[in-house]
Amino acid sequence: MKHSVNRPPTPDGAEDQGNEPILQEIINIKLIESGEKERLMEMLRERLIECGWKDEMKALCRAYVKKKGRNNVTVDDLVHLITPKGRASVPDSVKAELLQRIRSFLTSAAL
Amino acid sequence: MCARNSIYTTPKPCKHLADYKLRHGFNTYYSIRNCLKTTPNGRTRVAKHTTKIPRCSFCDRYQGRLYFCLMCSSLWCPTHILLHTQSEKGHEVAIDMNRSELYCCLCCDQVYDPDFDKVVVCNQVKDLPGGSKSKTNGFEACGERSSKRKRLDSGIGLDLKKSKLLVSMRDRRAKSCYPLGLRGLNNLGSTCFMNSVLQALLHAPPLRNYFLNDRHNSIQCRKRSGEKLCLLCDIDAISSAMFSGDRTPYTPAHFLYSWWQHSSNLASYEEQDAHEFFISVLDGIHEMESKIRNSGKDDGDCQCIAHRAFSGLLRSDVTCISCGFTSTTYDPCVDISLNMDTSNLSSSNANKPIKPDEKTGASTLSGCLNLFTRAERLGSDQKLHCQNCQELRDSSKQLSIRRLPLVLCLHIKRVEHSLVRKISRKINQYMQFPFSLDMTPYLSSSIVRSKFGNRIFTFEYDNSNSSAAYEIFAVIAHSGMLESGHYVTYLRLKNQWYKCDDAWISEVDEGIVRASQCYMLFYVQKLLYNEAIEDSSFVHISPRRDPFDSTAGCS
């Protein structure tokens, strides 16, 4: 249902990427500690609703459930179904805005 | 719509959840109560680990969905939670950390338990400012519900009981086999806006029954008010003329004159807006009836026929973004004006450009209703004073329908104002609308409930689904431009559609209606609609008045 849709990109299993995951983690920790992550999530949710992305995902889920039957679908099925499509259809403007916010947060947090 | 389960049928718990509850009851539910943290917008998270980042106990993942085992408080990602359940007996039920929703590890699916929801929602209400004392989060008193239900029942009972006593009378003068009550209205000079609304009003089941049952007696009315003009008397006259069986187009001149007296600012030969006319007619009816009854009751409790048929109640929740304090207000309404749900308009997306190939779907009524009930973040220039924070704060506003009317009039706003170019433009975009409409998702009970996530906890004032099912009976369509257009009404009588284009009445296929450019949609509650179909061949013979008398004013 609607809340199954809201998730950040899934990392591909346990990969060995050297230093990168560690930097990501540090950023993530900083974002969470300051409460900025929560604000960014809220903003992201609003944008995705406004541009109709959420409705599109909802429609995809509905169509799938209709095809398979209400009792033959699990949350996991739906997540696997819409994750690739969802990630591909996030508008560039939303991505740009998020990146901008994170960038400005990092420059202010680095001080 | 054929037999369809209500959206909120309580899903049965899976075997694993049922077993789990037998063993542990509510203990684990209560134990996580202290770990729940509610944000101002209503989302509740499990926030036990305030210092550490929550990670999967197997793969250390911290992104995506994480589940919190109710038995041992360990954390797992969806891929590895099965490992945990397989190794530890009895650890089958977990809670989604970000959403506070139950998950059964063996079924790999979300599960629902009203008892769990109750614990979570109580916590949410407690956490949000003003929670336990105020009624803003949906826990209204039971008393309110029963009195509302009584009102609804009496509204239906009144009209249906009377119509059962009607005498059958088939009109022998009818040249065609058109149902009784169908009659053209002559255009008196750009008055198609008036004719179209009159057609819709006169065929709205509560109003049709009201006039056919002679609830407004012209003779007594004239005695009481002297020479003063009465809109109700004039509508009564038109109604008698419509149902007289005479098929020659009728000229509502007297009504037009009365209406000009009432709404002198709109008195001209220019084309007027049908919706504006609709509002002013209802207003005129209300004024007249409140003079008769000498009551100054406000719209919510008014018993005039206009309000009994069209009056509903809207709920507006304004939430402070910072602290979550919500202030709720109720406003009566006689119709709902909807903005169109198209994202292709340049004016609405000046700040947020969208990829050109995105969102090219057609506009639909459900889309418009979703837009209407969507939580809207008010701009920073519209900061409101939050009682809890004691200062101006950014807020979000959400509308929902607290009480549905018997007759639901939906007005589609097809005017676009460009502030930049200072002109108004008509939106000609096609909007799809259904013949059967379920208003349940737009009710306050649904909207308020959904604020707290996927809950199946029932709120006190849940309406029974039968009163949220509507059937369409009239469509007012507009064609042409803003200043010079034309209105026609499509009426649905006994499952056949008729086009009422001023003086010309014709049978049309439902496809024509679906393809029309709708401006106002009239739905009536399904119960009334079904009764109306059965009784539409009957005409009430008043002992006082012969309905076949030609009425004054018909020049």
Side-chain angles (χ1 to χ4, degrees), chain B residues 40-85:
Chain B
N41 64 354
R43 280 180 92 84
T44 303
R45 293 191 335 257
V46 174
K48 189 166 186 183
H49 313 262
T50 43
T51 47
K52 293 190 303 179
I53 309 295
R55 289 173 182 280
C56 173
S57 308
F58 184 84
C59 65
D60 261 1
R61 211 171 94 179
Y62 56 89
Q63 289 167 329
R65 274 181 302 152
L66 282 175
Y67 293 106
F68 181 92
C69 174
L70 277 179
M71 288 300 294
C72 64
S73 305
S74 56
L75 293 175
W76 305 90
C77 72
T79 325
H80 300 123
I81 194 162
L82 204 51
L83 293 174
H84 176 63
T85 313

XYZ file of all heavy atoms in Angstrom, chain B residues 40-85:
376
model
N 5.451 15.465 13.896
C 4.303 16.366 13.789
C 3.293 16.012 12.708
O 2.123 16.313 12.835
C 4.945 17.730 13.467
C 6.273 17.652 14.088
C 6.713 16.234 14.000
N 3.717 15.337 11.648
C 2.743 15.055 10.596
C 1.989 13.753 10.825
O 1.222 13.311 9.986
C 3.431 15.024 9.233
C 4.443 13.902 9.142
O 4.710 13.215 10.123
N 5.018 13.712 7.981
N 2.219 13.110 11.953
C 1.430 11.927 12.271
C 2.167 10.621 12.097
O 1.683 9.573 12.494
N 3.329 10.635 11.476
C 4.065 9.377 11.297
C 4.660 8.919 12.621
O 5.235 9.709 13.352
C 5.216 9.586 10.319
C 4.808 9.562 8.886
C 6.021 9.782 8.013
N 6.639 8.526 7.622
C 6.228 7.795 6.591
N 5.218 8.174 5.881
N 6.844 6.678 6.278
N 4.555 7.651 12.865
C 5.114 7.115 14.105
C 6.238 6.150 13.792
O 6.071 5.236 12.984
C 4.009 6.395 14.895
O 2.962 7.317 15.136
C 4.537 5.901 16.225
N 7.379 6.356 14.423
C 8.541 5.479 14.201
C 8.862 4.748 15.476
O 8.550 5.217 16.562
C 9.766 6.322 13.835
C 9.700 7.024 12.526
C 11.072 7.602 12.141
N 11.947 7.879 13.218
C 12.181 9.102 13.707
N 11.521 10.125 13.239
N 13.045 9.276 14.682
N 9.554 3.637 15.318
C 10.123 2.978 16.491
C 11.493 3.597 16.677
O 12.349 3.498 15.805
C 10.253 1.464 16.253
C 10.967 0.817 17.412
C 8.882 0.851 16.053
N 11.705 4.258 17.786
C 12.967 4.987 17.973
C 13.623 4.581 19.271
O 13.841 5.383 20.161
C 12.689 6.483 17.938
N 13.976 3.314 19.351
C 14.588 2.843 20.598
C 16.057 3.242 20.626
O 16.605 3.590 21.647
C 14.459 1.322 20.672
C 14.856 0.774 22.018
C 14.408 -0.663 22.195
C 14.693 -1.116 23.629
N 14.341 -2.513 23.854
N 16.678 3.162 19.423
C 18.110 3.415 19.373
C 18.367 4.881 19.065
O 18.486 5.270 17.922
C 18.751 2.560 18.280
C 18.303 1.133 18.338
N 19.043 0.164 18.947
C 17.193 0.537 17.889
C 18.400 -0.981 18.862
N 17.279 -0.795 18.226
N 18.409 5.665 20.088
C 18.557 7.092 19.842
C 19.991 7.466 19.508
O 20.246 8.450 18.841
C 18.123 7.910 21.071
O 18.651 7.266 22.233
C 16.617 7.956 21.170
N 20.948 6.673 19.959
C 22.339 7.021 19.685
C 22.866 6.304 18.454
O 23.514 6.886 17.604
C 23.246 6.665 20.885
O 22.903 5.330 21.290
C 23.012 7.636 22.021
N 22.576 5.020 18.340
C 23.116 4.278 17.210
C 22.200 4.375 16.005
O 21.004 4.587 16.124
C 23.260 2.796 17.579
C 24.300 2.511 18.644
C 24.530 1.022 18.735
C 23.195 0.338 19.036
N 23.330 -1.117 19.117
N 22.797 4.173 14.837
C 21.991 4.060 13.621
C 21.441 2.645 13.584
O 22.202 1.694 13.744
C 22.871 4.275 12.370
C 23.681 5.552 12.498
C 22.028 4.279 11.120
C 22.870 6.794 12.525
N 20.133 2.498 13.374
C 19.586 1.128 13.318
C 20.151 0.366 12.121
O 20.158 0.884 11.005
C 18.081 1.363 13.145
C 17.833 2.801 13.361
C 19.109 3.527 13.205
N 20.647 -0.841 12.370
C 21.213 -1.654 11.292
C 20.733 -3.080 11.403
O 20.420 -3.564 12.476
C 22.744 -1.708 11.428
C 23.449 -0.438 11.118
C 24.922 -0.626 11.481
N 25.682 0.571 11.259
C 26.124 0.968 10.077
N 25.857 0.251 9.014
N 26.812 2.090 9.957
N 20.757 -3.770 10.247
C 20.372 -5.166 10.231
C 21.408 -5.977 11.006
O 22.614 -5.802 10.821
C 20.303 -5.663 8.790
S 20.037 -7.443 8.653
N 20.931 -6.874 11.868
C 21.854 -7.651 12.709
C 22.709 -8.620 11.908
O 23.688 -9.154 12.409
C 21.065 -8.453 13.753
O 20.195 -7.600 14.439
N 22.332 -8.855 10.688
C 23.121 -9.787 9.875
C 24.051 -9.058 8.914
O 25.245 -9.311 8.862
C 22.176 -10.704 9.096
C 22.889 -11.764 8.302
C 23.268 -12.958 8.904
C 23.197 -11.566 6.960
C 23.937 -13.935 8.181
C 23.862 -12.537 6.233
C 24.235 -13.728 6.844
N 23.488 -8.147 8.123
C 24.297 -7.563 7.044
C 24.667 -6.106 7.287
O 25.251 -5.467 6.423
C 23.561 -7.686 5.715
S 22.036 -6.722 5.665
N 24.276 -5.557 8.418
C 24.630 -4.176 8.780
C 23.978 -3.099 7.930
O 24.364 -1.925 7.989
C 26.156 -3.971 8.681
C 26.788 -4.078 10.061
O 26.029 -4.328 11.039
O 28.004 -3.904 10.167
N 23.034 -3.491 7.146
C 22.379 -2.509 6.281
C 21.595 -1.513 7.121
O 20.943 -1.881 8.110
C 21.431 -3.222 5.343
C 21.287 -2.536 4.001
C 20.522 -3.397 3.042
N 19.113 -3.040 3.069
C 18.205 -3.624 2.318
N 18.551 -4.626 1.534
N 16.952 -3.248 2.369
N 21.634 -0.253 6.732
C 20.867 0.748 7.475
C 19.853 1.481 6.596
O 19.125 2.338 7.066
C 21.815 1.783 8.121
C 22.730 2.468 7.141
C 22.347 3.634 6.490
C 23.986 1.936 6.856
C 23.184 4.247 5.576
C 24.832 2.549 5.947
C 24.433 3.704 5.311
O 25.261 4.311 4.406
N 19.855 1.129 5.317
C 18.921 1.806 4.411
C 17.743 0.885 4.094
O 17.843 -0.322 4.179
C 19.630 2.179 3.115
C 20.620 3.299 3.324
C 21.532 3.453 2.127
O 21.827 2.477 1.445
N 21.962 4.664 1.874
N 16.650 1.497 3.712
C 15.487 0.693 3.332
C 14.674 0.271 4.541
O 14.801 0.807 5.630
N 13.830 -0.716 4.356
C 12.966 -1.172 5.432
C 13.763 -1.938 6.481
O 14.621 -2.749 6.148
C 11.873 -2.092 4.888
C 10.647 -1.358 4.381
C 9.597 -2.320 3.874
N 10.095 -3.170 2.812
C 9.639 -4.390 2.556
N 8.686 -4.907 3.291
N 10.146 -5.094 1.563
N 13.475 -1.658 7.745
C 14.075 -2.417 8.835
C 12.974 -2.883 9.763
O 12.034 -2.140 10.042
C 15.071 -1.553 9.624
C 16.431 -1.344 8.966
C 17.253 -0.371 9.784
C 17.170 -2.669 8.831
N 13.112 -4.113 10.236
C 12.094 -4.659 11.122
C 12.642 -4.893 12.514
O 13.772 -5.324 12.698
C 11.545 -5.963 10.551
C 10.769 -5.744 9.281
C 11.292 -6.105 8.054
C 9.510 -5.140 9.314
C 10.579 -5.886 6.886
C 8.803 -4.916 8.150
C 9.340 -5.288 6.939
O 8.640 -5.066 5.791
N 11.799 -4.634 13.471
C 12.146 -4.682 14.879
C 11.394 -5.873 15.465
O 10.164 -5.884 15.482
C 11.649 -3.347 15.465
C 11.895 -3.135 16.910
C 13.049 -2.496 17.339
C 10.949 -3.512 17.853
C 13.254 -2.248 18.677
C 11.155 -3.270 19.192
C 12.314 -2.630 19.610
N 12.098 -6.890 15.898
C 11.427 -8.087 16.392
C 10.745 -7.783 17.721
O 11.369 -7.272 18.649
C 12.452 -9.216 16.582
S 11.736 -10.679 17.353
N 9.464 -8.105 17.805
C 8.701 -7.763 19.007
C 9.163 -8.535 20.237
O 8.978 -8.107 21.364
C 7.209 -8.029 18.774
C 6.429 -6.915 18.058
C 4.980 -7.317 17.884
C 6.518 -5.620 18.829
N 9.744 -9.701 19.998
C 10.138 -10.522 21.141
C 11.479 -10.084 21.725
O 11.625 -9.951 22.928
C 10.241 -11.994 20.700
C 8.909 -12.629 20.440
S 7.853 -12.638 21.886
C 8.768 -13.729 22.942
N 12.490 -9.885 20.836
C 13.835 -9.649 21.368
C 14.414 -8.307 20.972
O 15.576 -8.026 21.248
C 14.774 -10.764 20.912
S 14.993 -10.800 19.132
N 13.639 -7.480 20.322
C 14.081 -6.135 19.924
C 15.277 -6.120 18.991
O 15.975 -5.109 18.902
C 14.430 -5.281 21.163
O 13.350 -5.242 22.034
N 15.563 -7.214 18.318
C 16.668 -7.186 17.365
C 16.163 -6.617 16.050
O 14.972 -6.647 15.752
C 17.225 -8.596 17.161
O 16.185 -9.464 16.758
N 17.116 -6.115 15.264
C 16.743 -5.453 14.011
C 17.186 -6.259 12.815
O 18.284 -6.831 12.812
C 17.421 -4.083 13.940
C 16.930 -3.073 14.962
C 17.766 -1.811 14.879
C 15.474 -2.747 14.724
N 16.325 -6.293 11.795
C 16.618 -7.076 10.607
C 16.118 -6.383 9.362
O 15.086 -5.716 9.394
C 15.938 -8.442 10.711
C 16.304 -9.170 11.952
C 15.663 -9.111 13.152
C 17.424 -10.025 12.141
N 16.298 -9.892 14.076
C 17.387 -10.458 13.489
C 18.462 -10.465 11.308
C 18.359 -11.312 14.013
C 19.409 -11.314 11.831
C 19.364 -11.733 13.175
N 16.838 -6.605 8.250
C 16.331 -6.120 6.972
C 15.423 -7.215 6.404
O 15.479 -8.350 6.848
C 17.475 -5.796 6.020
S 18.318 -7.250 5.391
N 14.599 -6.887 5.402
C 13.628 -7.862 4.898
C 14.272 -9.154 4.401
O 13.693 -10.230 4.514
C 12.949 -7.132 3.738
C 13.169 -5.698 3.978
C 14.440 -5.573 4.741
N 15.492 -9.043 3.861
C 16.128 -10.237 3.324
C 16.514 -11.221 4.416
O 16.468 -12.426 4.220
C 17.421 -9.843 2.566
O 17.207 -8.581 1.937
C 17.768 -10.887 1.532
N 16.918 -10.689 5.576
C 17.498 -11.576 6.589
C 16.603 -11.862 7.776
O 16.996 -12.618 8.662
C 18.837 -10.992 7.068
C 19.818 -10.863 5.939
N 20.406 -9.671 5.595
C 20.259 -11.772 5.043
C 21.186 -9.862 4.537
N 21.119 -11.124 4.191
N 15.441 -11.264 7.775
C 14.599 -11.477 8.947
C 14.137 -12.925 9.044
O 13.902 -13.453 10.134
C 13.410 -10.488 8.965
C 12.768 -10.509 10.347
C 12.405 -10.786 7.868
C 11.895 -9.341 10.642
N 14.053 -13.589 7.897
C 13.623 -14.989 7.912
C 14.632 -15.849 8.676
O 14.256 -16.798 9.380
C 13.476 -15.476 6.460
C 12.529 -16.667 6.249
C 11.185 -16.417 6.896
C 12.371 -16.943 4.775
N 15.888 -15.490 8.542
C 16.937 -16.214 9.268
C 16.667 -16.176 10.768
O 16.801 -17.179 11.470
C 18.309 -15.584 8.999
C 18.863 -15.694 7.584
C 20.139 -14.882 7.484
C 19.126 -17.151 7.240
N 16.282 -15.014 11.208
C 16.029 -14.827 12.633
C 14.856 -15.691 13.089
O 14.921 -16.392 14.098
C 15.749 -13.352 12.899
C 15.392 -13.062 14.328
N 16.261 -13.272 15.370
C 14.257 -12.574 14.886
C 15.680 -12.928 16.510
N 14.463 -12.503 16.250
N 13.784 -15.646 12.312
C 12.592 -16.419 12.685
C 12.887 -17.905 12.692
O 12.366 -18.658 13.514
C 11.450 -16.132 11.689
O 11.353 -14.735 11.499
C 10.140 -16.675 12.194
